[in-house]
Amino acid sequence: MSNIPPLDLKRQYQAIGADVSAAVLEVLASGAYIGGATVQNFEQQFATYVGTQACVGCNSGTDALYLALRAMKIGPGDEVITTPFTFIATAETISAVGAKPVFVDIDLATFNLDLDLLAAAITPRTKAIMPVHLFGNPIDMSKLMAIAKQHNLIVIEDCAQATGATWNGKLVGSIGHFGCFSFFPTKNLGACGDGGAITLNDPALADDLRMYREHGSRQRYYHEAIGVNSRLDAIQAAVLQVKLQHLDSWNQHRAAVATRYHELLANIPDIITPQATPGGESAWNQYTIRVIAQPGADPAARRDKVRASLQSAGVISMIYYPLPLHLQAVYQDLGYPAGSFPHTERVSHEVLSLPMFPEITFEEQQRVVYALKDAIESTSHSD
Ligand SMILES: *Cc1c(COP(=O)(O)O)cnc(C)c1O
């Protein structure tokens, strides 16, 4: 029996490959590879999809976050509050502009920033909050925006894993001041390479983002700031235009896959299935369970054994993320010792992301669940 992968982009290509190839060939024949109508059309379509006035394409989700920070002139001496339980890019961009990432622990139920802890982390230096809709599950944007408004803070949503997720019926990326998206191939809307975009409702700021994206220039060969070269390629924009038409249908399949996992996993002991934030619709980029550790044992040992056991049954699972950001070598200078964020540290030992992609079959999900049952049974004693 073949392995069940965490995701399978080949199946997606089998379904829509003819349209993707035709769109790419059209760009190749056009001779317009940088900028131009293909990129502008995609930017417009994506703004319409998310429900914002403007969209600025760029080279990656990382750059989207970086450019948003630059456009708000956030830099040395400033603090930006974010979560330690995310991909490095979130905090990395805060550091890259010279500001300081300030971490706040997560809520155990949703893996997202604990908004009850947010106010205590705000100082006179705080300029922005960078929430992450982790695994596709939206954070409570109503509560977050109320806190931001009260303290006059900018909200930069990291939507990299949540394209198509909604909060109170509104798409994530349309609620904060900036929505930052990644089109990395494994994201819900993935290019055939790198890509990213920023959504926003302020046309003047959109112009600033374009200026920073193009070497700090509004008029070619005249430069007003130190910018970067971060464009969305026309070929990727063409691919994304094709794929955007399928995004809602793919996300519906992901939601159905999640519902099936919820049902199939309901009676397995010692695991906790993911919970959506009430009021939100997850985009289900990941289906991440928690494997409860044996008391007194090495906290990650059981999860790691379960993962190895799944692997020998041909089920490939992933760990997002094994080491929280505040414990990374690169962030030792921030001065957060182990124990600073108990929820984050706890779940980093427990999380396991099961195969999740729109095309996964019911039979494959059943195989995942049987293998998981076996793995949980065989690790139910800490010997
Ligand atoms: C993928 C990801 C990013 C970065 O996106 P890239 O396109 O890979 O640069 C940022 N934040 C989160 C939460 C991500 O998952």
Side-chain angles (χ1 to χ4, degrees):
M1 246 186 308
S2 58
N3 279 354
I4 304 175
L7 85 165
D8 188 350
L9 291 171
K10 280 185 276 185
R11 290 190 215 179
Q12 187 196 76
Y13 189 76
Q14 275 159 19
I16 62 158
D19 290 347
V20 171
S21 303
V24 169
L25 288 176
E26 213 175 290
V27 174
L28 290 181
S30 79
Y33 307 137
I34 300 286
T38 313
V39 174
Q40 278 171 13
N41 289 342
F42 172 71
E43 287 177 338
Q44 256 161 35
Q45 287 165 15
F46 196 66
T48 303
Y49 177 81
V50 174
T52 54
Q53 282 177 47
C55 166
V56 177
C58 61
N59 185 252
S60 67
T62 306
D63 281 0
L65 296 164
Y66 173 84
L67 290 166
L69 290 162
R70 286 297 303 278
M72 292 317 298
K73 309 239 175 343
I74 292 169
D78 297 334
E79 295 176 356
V80 178
I81 297 175
T82 192
T83 164
F85 193 57
T86 177
F87 180 57
I88 183 73
T90 316
E92 188 182 31
T93 55
I94 298 168
S95 304
V97 300
K100 182 180 160 193
V102 172
F103 295 125
V104 165
D105 205 0
I106 59 166
D107 166 34
L108 270 183
T110 63
F111 301 125
N112 283 328
L113 271 177
D114 184 342
L115 295 176
D116 292 333
L117 303 177
L118 201 60
I122 296 171
T123 76
R125 291 166 177 257
T126 310
K127 289 283 153 35
I129 308 168
M130 199 183 266
V132 180
H133 307 294
L134 198 73
F135 305 144
N137 183 34
I139 195 168
D140 181 336
M141 284 303 291
S142 313
K143 197 164 169 181
L144 189 144
M145 292 310 289
I147 299 168
K149 196 167 178 195
Q150 194 186 344
H151 297 270
N152 201 19
L153 301 175
I154 298 295
V155 174
I156 301 172
E157 295 179 65
D158 183 340
C159 305
Q161 301 182 4
T163 312
T166 61
W167 173 255
N168 275 348
K170 288 185 84 179
L171 272 278
V172 302
S174 70
I175 306 165
H177 299 89
F178 299 88
C180 297
F181 292 85
S182 166
F183 305 129
F184 188 79
T186 62
K187 309 297 163 101
N188 288 39
L189 178 63
C192 297
D194 277 307
I198 307 134
T199 53
L200 69 170
N201 282 314
D202 183 328
L205 269 180
D207 283 346
D208 290 350
L209 288 167
R210 290 196 180 92
M211 180 270 287
Y212 284 109
R213 158 185 93 166
E214 304 267 357
H215 301 289
S217 143
R218 292 180 210 268
Q219 187 190 350
R220 194 178 280 185
Y221 306 128
Y222 293 84
H223 305 276
E224 65 186 77
I226 297 297
V228 287
N229 174 359
S230 182
R231 294 178 286 238
L232 179 63
D233 283 339
I235 285 180
Q236 301 305 344
V239 169
L240 290 166
Q241 281 190 40
V242 172
K243 290 203 187 185
L244 183 57
Q245 296 166 31
H246 299 276
L247 179 62
D248 283 341
S249 149
W250 288 332
N251 281 349
Q252 280 157 20
H253 279 99
R254 287 176 182 275
V257 169
T259 302
R260 261 180 277 160
Y261 270 141
H262 291 333
E263 289 163 10
L264 294 168
L265 296 172
N267 297 316
I268 302 185
D270 297 346
I271 66 167
I272 297 174
T273 54
Q275 291 169 43
T277 311
E281 295 261 13
S282 179
W284 293 108
N285 183 247
Q286 299 295 336
Y287 188 91
T288 302
I289 63 167
R290 290 168 54 201
V291 178
I292 302 309
Q294 302 295 351
D298 165 3
R302 188 174 191 191
R303 185 269 316 271
D304 293 345
K305 279 186 205 155
V306 166
R307 184 173 188 226
S309 165
L310 287 177
Q311 180 149 8
S312 46
V315 173
I316 314 302
S317 61
M318 302 294 281
I319 298 172
Y320 305 114
Y321 296 91
L323 187 64
L325 296 190
H326 67 288
L327 301 178
Q328 296 283 345
V330 66
Y331 276 139
Q332 285 320 288
D333 61 339
L334 290 178
Y336 294 109
S340 299
F341 304 113
H343 286 172
T344 296
E345 290 168 36
R346 176 170 178 187
V347 300
S348 73
H349 296 135
E350 296 175 343
V351 285
L352 199 61
S353 296
L354 303 181
M356 164 54 87
F357 49 99
E359 301 84 2
I360 192 171
T361 66
F362 184 63
E363 289 69 30
E364 286 174 316
Q365 280 196 272
Q366 279 181 316
R367 260 183 71 199
V368 172
V369 172
Y370 291 141
L372 187 61
K373 262 186 195 147
D374 279 353
I376 289 291
E377 250 166 51
S378 68
T379 56
S380 59
H381 302 284
S382 56
D383 49 29

